[in-house]
Amino acid sequence: MRSIIITTFCIVLSLFVSCSSSTPVVEEIIDVVEGTPVKERPINVILMIADGTGLSQISASQFYNVNTSNYERFRHIGLIKTSSSSDLITDSAAGATAFASGIKTYNGAIGVDNDTIAKPTILEQLDRKGYKTGVIATSTITHATPASFYAHVRYRKMEEEIAEALTLSGVDFFAGGGLKYFNARSDKKDLLSQLQTKGFEVETNFLNTDAFLSPDKKYGFLLAEEGMPKMIDGRGPFLKNATQLGINHLSQNKQPFFMMIEGSQVDWGGHANEANYLIGEIIDFDDTLGYVLDYAKRDGNTLVVVTADHETGGFTLASDDGNYNIIKPTFSTGGHSATMVPVFAYGPGAKNFAGIYENTEIYHKITRILNR
Ligand code: MG
Ligand code: ZN
């Protein structure tokens, strides 16, 4: 009798455990901090990636700005472990593939697993469900981070193949650099006209936030041969303007949308061990973040997830040899580091992003929340 009761209890318990582990945390109806009603399930998702951004980079966006940053507007914060399947320290390709496809893969892999088999990305899956989709980056649009959302190649340097994948993808709006991978290719193909035949208007000179964007067209902005200029070299508010234009375009049909927005060059400032470069880039990203959070607050149906693929530079805000009132930004490597990086979430479903988990969970959490 007793063993039957115990067995029954275990069955009930295991049912409960398996149930609860696959069911996301129920979201509150009222966001207690903002005081605004939020629905449990978001309609739109904006994933923002500041490449190479750990806590010191985010702290720099406070100390070197106005002592505060838009990151402070979040109440739901977590940490991710970023190792790839091949290395303790990930690169941006494996890091973005973890977010985009929910798998751990090898450094250099774009949207493919350890056996170089293509894995569907969240952008592709949502596109098939009728979402509008967008990718924005301050690197080439074919660089590892954005590429991992729409392309499947075995190695990140295959940017010509990645550009071709973009023309065949379901992306409705993109903005970034990388023009030469479309119009000065080794195979002489003209991908700009290929984009036009796919319904794109392509702009290679400037981005005007007041431009009329037809809901029936797709838009591509390729505003530099390679990466976009650095902020310290006068890039200006490209990231924020592209984000504004992209949100305007993708939201105008009242269809749900998914957007990936990358501050690509925080990473490059870290690799160069140039604090001024890095700080210019993180402040630019923070500015864009402010715009996105304002939009999400107005909209009420948009989940915003902000994170990084890894930290770059082993960056610290060290004291200047014991002078505790002077910060001396210091780097410990020209590469990436293995430290956990923070995740910030706002909007319906945001609570699910608290805790410490693997980078692949970004994909799984968003997917679970949308399928709720
Ligand atoms: Mg990147
Ligand atoms: Zn890097």
Side-chain angles (χ1 to χ4, degrees):
M1 180 63 188
R2 192 173 165 188
S3 75
I4 291 173
I5 289 171
I6 290 170
T7 309
T8 309
F9 175 74
C10 286
I11 291 168
V12 170
L13 182 69
S14 67
L15 275 174
F16 174 73
V17 168
S18 68
C19 245
S20 66
S21 65
S22 64
T23 308
V25 179
V26 175
E27 188 59 38
E28 78 265 87
I29 302 300
I30 300 291
D31 183 318
V32 286
V33 176
E34 297 286 346
T36 49
V38 287
K39 301 197 174 61
E40 287 185 25
R41 187 176 172 278
I43 294 174
N44 314 307
V45 177
I46 300 177
L47 175 60
M48 297 182 69
I49 301 171
D51 198 314
T53 296
L55 268 186
S56 290
Q57 284 82 353
I58 292 168
S59 305
S61 77
Q62 301 166 329
F63 284 114
Y64 295 94
N65 201 0
V66 285
N67 219 19
T68 179
S69 79
N70 287 300
Y71 281 101
E72 295 174 44
R73 297 166 64 178
F74 291 97
R75 294 295 175 272
H76 301 298
I77 299 166
L79 294 166
I80 48 172
K81 299 158 81 171
T82 64
S83 294
S84 69
S85 68
S86 61
D87 295 273
L88 291 173
I89 299 169
T90 190
D91 81 325
S92 294
T97 298
F99 299 153
S101 296
I103 55 161
K104 291 276 186 186
T105 189
Y106 60 91
N107 283 7
I110 302 289
V112 298
D113 68 10
N114 282 324
D115 302 320
T116 70
I117 306 294
K119 289 288 157 185
T121 74
I122 190 164
L123 186 149
E124 292 165 338
Q125 290 170 327
L126 294 178
D127 171 56
R128 262 179 248 125
K129 287 184 174 180
Y131 284 62
K132 294 281 186 182
T133 62
V135 285
I136 299 172
T138 55
S139 58
T140 61
I141 200 65
T142 48
H143 213 262
T145 311
S148 297
F149 286 82
Y150 63 78
H152 305 276
V153 297
R154 67 186 154 72
Y155 185 50
R156 56 183 292 169
K157 298 281 185 214
M158 299 161 69
E159 287 194 72
E160 291 193 353
E161 285 85 348
I162 293 168
E164 194 144 26
L166 181 59
T167 70
L168 303 171
S169 74
V171 171
D172 299 291
F173 180 98
F174 66 84
L179 179 61
K180 70 174 190 178
Y181 298 109
F182 294 79
N183 70 355
R185 298 163 55 87
S186 53
D187 63 9
K188 306 284 186 245
K189 281 188 192 170
D190 177 8
L191 294 195
L192 295 185
S193 57
Q194 207 160 303
L195 280 167
Q196 278 160 11
T197 63
K198 296 278 179 191
F200 273 95
E201 292 265 312
V202 184
E203 175 61 64
T204 58
N205 293 314
F206 58 91
L207 185 147
N208 174 7
T209 52
D210 297 326
F212 168 75
L213 299 188
S214 163
D216 305 323
K217 288 207 155 172
K218 305 184 216 181
Y219 290 88
F221 294 85
L222 291 167
L223 303 182
E225 289 296 314
E226 309 219 27
M228 296 294 291
K230 303 172 183 179
M231 281 308 285
I232 51 170
D233 290 343
R235 181 169 78 234
F238 159 78
L239 190 61
K240 188 178 173 176
N241 290 350
T243 297
Q244 182 182 341
L245 199 63
I247 289 175
N248 286 349
H249 181 53
L250 298 180
S251 63
Q252 65 182 330
N253 264 348
K254 302 284 174 222
Q255 275 168 277
F257 69 82
F258 172 85
M259 258 183 127
M260 193 293 299
I261 301 163
E262 187 198 21
S264 319
Q265 298 192 33
V266 184
D267 175 66
W268 299 358
H271 282 294
N273 282 194
E274 287 177 21
N276 286 346
Y277 183 7
L278 184 160
I279 290 164
E281 298 301 324
I282 189 66
I283 291 175
D284 177 56
F285 184 82
D286 182 61
D287 236 28
T288 307
L289 173 56
Y291 180 83
V292 168
L293 287 177
D294 289 347
Y295 169 80
K297 190 175 176 181
R298 276 198 310 278
D299 179 65
N301 291 308
T302 300
L303 170 65
V304 181
V305 179
V306 185
T307 189
D309 44 1
H310 52 75
E311 193 276 343
T312 304
F315 184 58
T316 57
L317 298 177
S319 68
D320 188 9
D321 292 324
N323 184 337
Y324 283 77
N325 208 25
I326 296 177
I327 293 171
K328 185 174 155 196
T330 306
F331 295 91
S332 63
T333 175
H336 300 168
S337 72
T339 188
M340 292 191 291
V341 293
V343 180
F344 304 82
Y346 175 87
K351 266 189 165 176
N352 296 276
F353 293 86
I356 297 182
Y357 44 92
E358 293 290 342
N359 53 2
T360 45
E361 280 300 302
I362 298 289
Y363 167 90
H364 294 294
K365 285 176 189 291
I366 294 173
T367 302
R368 279 202 300 269
I369 291 166
L370 290 177
N371 291 336
R372 190 183 284 175

